[in-house]
Amino acid sequence: MKEFNITKKNIRKDRPVEYLTIPDFPKNMLLSLTSLCNYKCVMCTHSTHTYTRNEIMSLEKAKDILKQAHELGTCEVGFHSMGEPFLSKDLEAVVLEAKKLGYEYIYFTTNGSLATEERIKKLFLNGLSSIKFSVNAGNAETYQKIHGKDTFQKVIDNIVTANRVREELKTDMSIFVSFIETEINKGQDKDLFDILKDSIDYLYSLPANNQGGNMNYKTDITTRCSRPFNCFNVTPEGYLNACCMDLHNYLAYADLNKTTLKEAWNNIHIQTLRNQHINETLPENSLCYNCLYNANNKVEPILKEFAK
């Protein structure tokens, strides 16, 4: 990973992990408000999916899950996964709810195209801790090739505006940028940093990965995956999912519309998956196997009724 750091703020939180079949309830949650995205980026599985079901989580469901998780000890929440958070009209309201409940770190990742001054200001006032913009080009031409949209300058302007708003509000909220490197945009992370260095705290650059075997990029995994052990992901439908990159719910293992977080966190399905990770016995038809071993095998979901 290449890092371009201005203020020494660290985008990567320290989240210890114990590889146990039945771990403690995690401090971190990703609560995905929508599976919709207004972009089709070349390094994202959204560009290849064919399903037609698109969900947006209701405000009532989001509030319920936030409350359950906080009561169990979760203190960090991100409102993103594989969708674009700004496509949820309730984004500002769920940020406010998380702040009211006492969450210590509230954040999300966005492509930035819908980050208007009005919405940014409200998010800052409602208690957002950090926002990360996914910008994967150093100029407009490459941006259109990567993102499929001619909105490079609009996104740059939105980031500059976000910085101006936080300065006006005198908030210490962080503004980060991520850059996913492919052959199309190779070396342009420095160009992007030069454009934005007066408006952001931190830019980090990572190589594109295979996203569970869905994309034609190599993932270099040198350690066990920590996600099934020290965090959890809730999909817009209300499913508990072991992975933030699972757009098709192959790793969904509980329906929180029918059970509680406390009951679901260590159910038999996730215990089985954790043991497979611990013992390195992942089936070759699992999404985790595809991700860790750069395979593209046909995947069998944990529970077929959840898969798209």
Side-chain angles (χ1 to χ4, degrees):
M1 180 177 73
K2 291 183 284 183
E3 301 177 65
F4 302 84
N5 201 326
I6 293 294
T7 63
K8 306 303 180 185
K9 290 184 178 181
N10 189 356
I11 194 171
R12 308 190 78 80
K13 305 292 285 184
D14 181 21
R15 295 172 181 138
V17 54
E18 289 187 289
Y19 293 96
L20 303 173
T21 304
I22 303 179
D24 292 338
F25 201 80
K27 302 297 184 183
N28 178 254
M29 165 175 66
L30 287 184
L31 182 60
S32 183
L33 300 179
T34 179
S35 61
L36 296 165
C37 189
N38 58 334
Y39 276 21
K40 293 285 187 182
C41 305
V42 298
M43 67 288 184
C44 178
T45 188
H46 248 295
S47 64
T48 65
H49 81 77
T50 56
Y51 69 84
T52 56
R53 292 170 55 205
N54 293 301
E55 295 81 15
I56 296 180
M57 181 177 286
S58 70
L59 179 58
E60 292 73 21
K61 188 62 185 176
K63 286 183 174 182
D64 176 53
I65 294 170
L66 283 168
K67 184 174 184 292
Q68 287 188 59
H70 193 261
E71 289 175 349
L72 290 167
T74 300
C75 57
E76 301 172 6
V77 60
F79 294 114
H80 68 276
S81 184
M82 298 300 291
E84 168 51 50
F86 276 107
L87 289 173
S88 168
K89 65 179 177 57
D90 296 318
L91 177 60
E92 293 86 347
V94 293
V95 168
L96 181 60
E97 182 68 15
K99 187 67 175 179
K100 287 180 177 178
L101 286 168
Y103 279 84
E104 298 170 9
Y105 190 63
I106 305 165
Y107 63 102
F108 64 86
T109 297
T110 172
N111 60 46
S113 63
L114 303 174
T116 63
E117 180 173 350
E118 180 183 5
R119 297 194 76 179
I120 286 289
K121 184 175 183 179
K122 192 167 185 179
L123 286 163
F124 288 7
L125 291 172
N126 285 3
L128 191 68
S129 305
S130 73
I131 184 169
K132 182 172 68 179
F133 292 90
S134 176
V135 188
N136 305 286
N139 58 60
E141 181 182 1
T142 304
Y143 189 91
Q144 186 157 17
K145 291 178 181 177
I146 293 284
H147 293 281
K149 300 281 186 176
D150 184 20
T151 50
F152 177 73
Q153 192 58 51
K154 179 181 181 181
V155 171
I156 296 299
D157 291 345
N158 286 348
I159 296 172
V160 172
T161 298
N163 179 57
R164 175 177 55 78
V165 170
R166 72 167 169 172
E167 289 179 347
E168 290 172 355
L169 295 175
K170 295 181 171 57
T171 175
D172 62 353
M173 201 214 73
S174 302
I175 299 177
F176 302 129
V177 170
S178 66
F179 183 99
I180 306 302
E181 191 170 64
T182 70
E183 288 301 317
I184 299 172
N185 60 6
K186 196 172 184 65
Q188 291 189 17
D189 44 7
K190 178 61 166 59
D191 299 331
L192 180 63
F193 178 73
D194 288 341
I195 293 170
L196 291 172
K197 62 185 178 182
D198 293 330
S199 299
I200 66 174
D201 301 303
Y202 189 104
L203 182 149
Y204 74 99
S205 177
L206 289 166
N209 63 53
N210 69 33
Q211 295 196 345
N214 291 311
M215 305 303 297
N216 189 29
Y217 300 105
K218 183 179 179 181
T219 298
D220 183 18
I221 302 292
T222 57
T223 61
R224 288 194 187 117
C225 179
S226 64
R227 299 210 67 84
F229 301 90
N230 72 340
C231 60
F232 64 98
N233 310 279
V234 182
T235 73
E237 305 96 323
Y239 300 154
L240 199 55
N241 193 305
C243 181
C244 62
M245 290 191 177
D246 177 17
L247 187 62
H248 299 280
N249 287 334
Y250 293 136
L251 296 177
Y253 59 92
D255 185 350
L256 298 180
N257 301 292
K258 299 177 180 179
T259 188
T260 65
L261 265 174
K262 184 176 182 180
E263 294 169 333
W265 168 242
N266 283 318
N267 74 16
I268 189 62
H269 305 294
I270 190 62
Q271 286 188 48
T272 298
L273 181 65
R274 289 181 189 137
N275 279 331
Q276 290 168 347
H277 275 271
I278 292 168
N279 299 317
E280 298 183 0
T281 56
L282 288 163
E284 292 187 11
N285 62 353
S286 71
L287 192 70
C288 293
Y289 183 95
N290 277 357
C291 182
L292 290 171
Y293 299 103
N294 293 294
N296 190 26
N297 300 333
K298 184 178 180 181
V299 173
E300 285 295 321
I302 291 178
L303 292 169
K304 291 183 178 179
E305 62 263 35
F306 297 156
K308 298 177 181 179

